[in-house]
Amino acid sequence: MSKPLSLEKYTDTKTFYVGRRLKTDPAAKRFTGPFGSVDASGDDCRAAGWKGDAAAIVPWTIAEELLPFGTWGIVTKVIDDERVDALFVWRSQGRITASKMTELHCSNFVTSRGGPPLIGESESLAGVHATPKVAAPAPVAAPAVATDADAALDAIRKLIGGGAAPMDEEALRRAVKDQLDPFRDAMQPVMDVLASLKSDPLAKAKIVTAVAASKNPVVEYLSHFYTVGHEAVANVCLAAPPSIGKTFAYRQLGKAYDVYLEHGCTADSEEINTMLGSTAPDGKGGFVVFDGVLTQAVRTASTGKNVLLLLDEVLRLSEQGQVWLLTFLTGVKTPDGKKYRLRTRRVMADGTLEVIECAAKHLHIGAAVNLGARSPNEAFWSRWHHHRLPFDAATVKNTALAFAASFGMTAADDLAEKFTAAVVASRSAVADGSLKYSLDFRALENALEWSARIGSLTAAVICAAIADSVEARCAHWGIDSGETDVASATSVSLVKLALGVR
């Protein structure tokens, strides 16, 4: 019988190891400290020891829902004394969702002892610290050729004393083989990629090209400047009207990287500290330092992982924030290439602040801005390669097609054309003052998400969902009553008509 769960939070990772099952704090409402997330496939889950249906795994999208706390995860990497990478699998809205969380602080977990398995797991894998139950198989002939399982069996013999104790070797050999096969299958795609890298030096560029093959012209443009594993040609700053697809394009590009990080910039006077890191009481009379997103990006890239960091709405930074950041963006030239160097908030043993660095080929930085009346610091502005995305119907249609493709819609021309017509109509109404806001891609994304959840991903259903939101999103309202202004009624009807809804 399993011992009860202790809700005491961890203070270090000394008892952690790859494969250990741990539970997030069920009383928490958000993770402590910064963290990243990477899409997790069924193969990733199977490689980590999950025994459910790999084809049923749906990658987690933070825009859809928050990770439910009290969820069981499995440690996939111990980074240092305080942080780990972990894979989470949970049931959500009738489906099985998975995600890899990177650089999670240990205090996000509560002590577990013999806890339940991840959802869908077989009983034999209820805990990796427990010995799997192996049924005695029928006798079979000994293998003629040594296998990985045989080599593992020899190692086990040595560990238990050279075979002095009685042991059903054939049963153990089968058990070892059963454990090795899923990992071998899961690693095969990785081995194929590594083999291609040896023979084709442009293989990494092909990864980004594959991302650019999505129907999004902005992603294609970005791919000319960013090639995974190589120094960026330039740090690109996308400038466009609100909700034209800037952030979406970087998120699509981010799928080619090991880690994608995103930070929404503000004019707050503490923004520099937010990006570097912050301190919090450790419960022992001292303090613990949590990395900010910029420190996390540099620290992760210093390990050789390829990281893409998006600084969204970067012109919201104060003058002081822009001046501070431009020094970092300049980088340091070394015989080994450009490096990014950063002084963090962690205090070293000698009383100085920690300095970390990473190769620029492993850290790519992008930005997105809404152009407005506020002028940026000239030197900061010069650190970016600027690409303006003026509004035009072709761009809207192509971006709409990319949004639809990200939800699995391959035939979405009708949807894209109607959405484009509705956006054009709403912008015209904003220009003549009859609407307060124009229709944007968030309306499309929300409608796609809703339609996908009800299992009816069609142009008619999606357009109807968008039409339902037009009045609340775009119309003027009375200050006292909150009701839609009469002057907006006609324009709301025209936008709905463009969507094919009367």
Side-chain angles (χ1 to χ4, degrees):
M1 182 176 179
S2 298
K3 295 181 180 179
L5 177 71
S6 166
L7 295 183
E8 180 182 357
K9 295 183 180 181
Y10 284 100
T11 57
D12 56 53
T13 60
K14 292 179 181 177
T15 60
F16 289 20
Y17 52 84
V18 173
R20 180 164 189 183
R21 266 64 170 174
L22 294 169
K23 188 176 185 179
T24 55
D25 184 358
K29 294 183 178 180
R30 62 180 180 179
F31 281 129
T32 300
F35 66 94
S37 66
V38 181
D39 287 348
S41 65
D43 286 341
D44 294 324
C45 297
R46 185 166 48 197
W50 188 70
K51 290 297 184 180
D53 180 8
I57 291 293
V58 177
W60 175 61
T61 303
I62 193 169
E64 298 178 12
E65 61 170 344
L66 297 177
L67 173 73
F69 288 92
T71 301
W72 285 88
I74 181 170
V75 176
T76 57
K77 181 179 180 181
V78 179
I79 299 173
D80 54 29
D81 290 342
E82 296 179 343
R83 298 169 300 145
V84 297
D85 293 348
L87 171 74
F88 293 91
V89 184
W90 68 96
R91 191 177 299 281
S92 172
Q93 300 172 353
R95 60 186 180 182
I96 300 177
T97 305
S99 179
K100 291 180 182 178
M101 300 296 178
T102 60
E103 302 200 8
L104 278 176
H105 193 266
C106 60
S107 62
N108 288 300
F109 298 101
V110 291
T111 307
S112 63
R113 297 184 177 91
L118 293 172
I119 179 173
E121 240 179 26
S122 65
E123 289 184 1
S124 64
L125 286 176
V128 286
H129 0 301
T131 304
K133 301 174 183 178
V134 182
V140 295
V145 180
T147 65
D148 291 342
D150 296 318
L153 181 58
D154 288 339
I156 292 172
R157 286 196 191 99
K158 293 177 182 179
L159 287 173
I160 64 175
M167 178 178 62
D168 186 342
E169 292 193 358
E170 180 56 30
L172 187 54
R173 189 190 73 80
R174 280 174 170 267
V176 173
K177 185 176 184 300
D178 288 343
Q179 296 298 316
L180 284 176
D181 284 346
F183 285 94
R184 185 184 297 109
D185 294 341
M187 286 301 296
Q188 190 57 52
V190 179
M191 300 307 296
D192 292 341
V193 171
L194 292 176
S196 69
L197 289 176
K198 291 180 180 178
S199 59
D200 185 0
L202 297 178
K204 290 183 179 179
K206 292 178 180 177
I207 298 174
V208 177
T209 302
V211 177
S214 68
K215 298 179 180 180
N216 192 331
V218 183
V219 178
E220 183 178 2
Y221 178 85
L222 290 174
S223 70
H224 297 308
F225 295 87
Y226 299 108
T227 301
V228 177
H230 298 269
E231 284 189 30
V233 176
N235 294 327
V236 180
C237 178
L238 295 179
S243 298
I244 206 68
K246 305 181 294 295
T247 304
F248 176 75
Y250 270 113
R251 288 173 180 172
Q252 291 291 98
L253 183 69
K255 293 180 179 180
Y257 291 75
D258 297 319
V259 177
Y260 169 74
L261 298 170
E262 191 175 296
H263 177 69
C265 299
T266 72
D268 193 286
S269 59
E270 292 296 313
E271 183 70 357
I272 296 174
N273 291 331
T274 300
M275 296 177 71
L276 280 177
S278 57
T279 60
D282 62 3
K284 301 177 181 179
F287 292 88
V288 61
V289 177
F290 298 107
D291 286 347
V293 67
L294 185 59
T295 303
Q296 182 185 358
V298 176
R299 197 182 302 281
T300 302
S302 70
T303 66
K305 288 185 177 181
N306 295 306
V307 180
L308 175 62
L309 170 62
L310 169 63
L311 299 176
D312 206 5
E313 298 300 344
V314 74
L315 292 189
R316 289 180 180 173
L317 288 173
S318 65
E319 176 85 7
Q320 179 187 7
Q322 292 181 29
V323 171
W324 173 81
L325 190 56
L326 72 85
T327 303
F328 171 79
L329 292 173
T330 304
V332 179
K333 292 183 179 180
T334 73
D336 298 325
K338 179 180 175 180
K339 293 183 182 294
Y340 289 117
R341 189 170 294 163
L342 186 68
R343 180 178 287 106
T344 77
R345 287 290 184 258
R346 296 193 181 191
V347 180
M348 305 301 289
D350 61 1
T352 62
L353 292 176
E354 174 193 45
V355 176
I356 58 176
E357 65 177 31
C358 68
K361 66 180 181 180
H362 292 308
L363 175 57
H364 291 169
I365 303 171
V369 300
N370 293 327
L371 292 177
R374 182 179 179 181
S375 298
N377 177 276
E378 183 176 359
F380 179 72
W381 188 245
S382 70
R383 293 301 190 274
W384 303 93
H385 172 80
H386 303 281
H387 181 58
R388 295 190 183 184
L389 302 173
F391 175 84
D392 64 80
T395 299
V396 174
K397 180 179 178 179
N398 285 327
T399 305
L401 287 170
F403 268 88
S406 71
F407 281 82
M409 285 189 71
T410 54
D413 285 326
D414 183 46
L415 169 64
E417 288 174 0
K418 288 181 176 177
F419 178 74
T420 301
V423 172
V424 171
S426 69
R427 290 178 64 86
S428 297
V430 170
D432 66 26
S434 58
L435 288 182
K436 187 175 183 65
Y437 300 112
S438 61
L439 201 60
D440 57 40
F441 281 105
R442 293 187 181 91
L444 174 61
E445 186 175 25
N446 291 343
L448 282 163
E449 173 59 33
W450 180 81
S451 301
R453 289 188 178 185
I454 66 171
S456 185
L457 205 61
T458 66
V461 172
I462 296 166
C463 285
I466 297 172
D468 284 343
S469 71
V470 170
E471 183 175 349
R473 281 179 175 273
C474 305
H476 289 284
W477 59 85
I479 297 177
D480 296 327
S481 66
E483 296 179 355
T484 298
D485 194 306
V486 177
S488 292
T490 300
S491 294
V492 168
S493 297
L494 289 174
V495 174
K496 289 184 176 180
L497 189 62
L499 291 164
V501 179
R502 295 183 181 276

